[in-house]
Amino acid sequence: MNRREYAALIERRLKVESDRLRQEFPKYVVQSCYVDDLLPKELALEICNAFPDKSAMMLKKSLRENKHVAAQMNQYAPILEEIVYAFQEPGVLNAVAEITGIQGMVPDEKLYAGGISLMAKENFLNPHLDNSHDIKREMYRVLNLLYYVTPNWGHEHGGNLELWDDGPKGAPREITSHFNRLALMATHENSWHSVSEVKVDRSRCCVSNYYFSPKPLEDHEYFHVTSFRGRPEQPVRDLVLQGDIALRQGIRKVFKKGIVDNKHVYEKS
């Protein structure tokens, strides 16, 4: 299977569910929806089985997060690059635009914060806002596409997408990381989200993409770095992370591209 063949199947599935997804997406502050059985089961299993061991991926571990990620796709099984870029094919992009109502979106060939991710036992993502822009700070990040491929994954296993419609001091609603499920989530200055801690000694595998746009989803311009907060039961961590936001935001105001190279991109020859 190549990316165009995957894309044709994805596009077809999205069009079948388009009416339902179009109604569901705008219901919440963090606009979102999901579709199950995105690909034939055997293809989704092949994708999961092609994931590398976590030791071959980049570990991001701090008070903010604990997960394994990879964007340099030519280092891994070719099937992974094909499924990642299937979500960037024009037919899929158009189908997603029809569902979300977001026009003018473009995919990110460099996979800035995209690619593949793996979360093992005790891995987590604290409540956060994604970086508001692309790596060159020229376009707004407007949509996150998360395709989960770990079989027999239930809510009780953790590693679920949490959406904080009332902000990080409220209570989240959850989208379970079920096998063969694609979640769509808008990204803007109020789209707080997180991933609950993985409770089992297994790997939750995910294929990730972002779409960008020249215009923000809000009715005004804005800029923010990736901004993490503590959970409601983590007041001390929350204070530390708010200081971290202020420091990094201040640096980016002075240095447009930051002072440390972001290694979570696909460097093609």
Side-chain angles (χ1 to χ4, degrees):
M1 293 284 290
N2 61 42
R3 64 192 65 183
R4 289 174 294 280
E5 292 170 318
Y6 282 126
L9 294 172
I10 294 169
E11 179 184 357
R12 187 180 310 153
R13 184 75 184 113
L14 290 175
K15 286 184 175 179
V16 167
E17 296 283 351
S18 181
D19 289 343
R20 177 184 65 82
L21 297 173
R22 193 164 54 244
Q23 293 178 26
E24 182 179 335
F25 184 76
K27 283 184 177 180
Y28 304 98
V29 172
V30 187
Q31 298 98 318
S32 58
C33 60
Y34 61 85
V35 58
D36 289 324
D37 303 316
L38 185 71
L39 293 174
K41 180 179 179 180
E42 62 275 12
L43 295 183
L45 283 172
E46 286 180 10
I47 293 165
C48 181
N49 291 335
F51 262 68
D53 186 82
K54 63 184 180 182
S55 62
M57 302 172 72
M58 178 171 63
L59 174 63
K60 302 184 76 171
K61 185 175 182 180
S62 67
L63 289 177
R64 311 169 193 156
E65 59 188 336
N66 186 356
K67 66 175 184 177
H68 301 80
V69 298
Q72 193 64 35
M73 301 309 301
N74 58 5
Q75 294 181 355
Y76 305 104
I79 187 176
L80 295 176
E81 179 162 352
E82 294 305 303
I83 186 59
V84 167
Y85 282 98
F87 289 98
Q88 301 194 13
E89 287 290 300
V92 175
L93 191 69
N94 291 337
V96 171
E98 182 178 341
I99 289 166
T100 63
I102 305 172
Q103 303 302 316
M105 293 188 294
V106 296
D108 179 23
E109 184 181 5
K110 291 187 71 65
L111 303 182
Y112 175 42
I116 57 174
S117 66
L118 182 155
M119 299 187 74
K121 189 175 182 179
E122 298 182 349
N123 284 182
F124 66 89
L125 269 174
N126 258 55
H128 65 285
L129 297 175
D130 290 327
N131 191 315
S132 59
H133 285 69
D134 67 350
I135 195 167
K136 294 182 178 179
R137 201 165 148 183
E138 295 174 348
M139 303 187 76
Y140 286 88
R141 190 191 306 258
V142 293
L143 194 73
N144 192 354
L145 299 91
L146 300 166
Y147 178 42
Y148 304 111
V149 295
T150 304
N152 303 313
W153 195 272
H155 181 268
E156 68 278 10
H157 297 145
N160 300 307
L161 178 63
E162 300 174 312
L163 305 171
W164 301 72
D165 295 306
D166 296 320
K169 292 300 183 181
R173 57 187 170 89
E174 290 184 281
I175 296 177
T176 301
S177 305
H178 281 313
F179 171 65
N180 209 9
R181 169 176 284 180
L182 173 67
L184 306 178
M185 185 197 77
T187 59
H188 47 70
E189 60 182 348
N190 292 301
S191 59
W192 291 95
H193 59 288
S194 57
V195 177
S196 60
E197 182 179 327
V198 175
K199 302 296 186 181
V200 292
D201 192 15
R202 297 177 59 203
S203 296
R204 191 220 67 173
C205 301
C206 180
V207 175
S208 303
N209 270 275
Y210 289 99
Y211 291 167
F212 293 85
S213 171
K215 296 181 179 180
L217 292 184
E218 307 283 6
D219 60 0
H220 58 274
E221 295 186 351
Y222 56 87
F223 169 75
H224 56 77
V225 296
T226 305
S227 304
F228 284 87
R229 295 284 301 273
R231 293 176 175 273
E233 68 274 16
Q234 298 173 325
V236 175
R237 182 178 299 198
D238 189 49
L239 287 174
V240 172
L241 292 178
Q242 287 188 63
D244 175 68
I245 294 170
L247 176 62
R248 290 186 297 109
Q249 188 85 355
I251 290 172
R252 287 298 297 273
K253 286 181 178 179
V254 177
F255 302 97
K256 183 177 179 179
K257 295 184 179 180
I259 57 177
V260 178
D261 287 338
N262 190 312
K263 296 182 180 179
H264 195 158
V265 293
Y266 192 174
E267 295 291 353
K268 296 184 178 182
S269 58

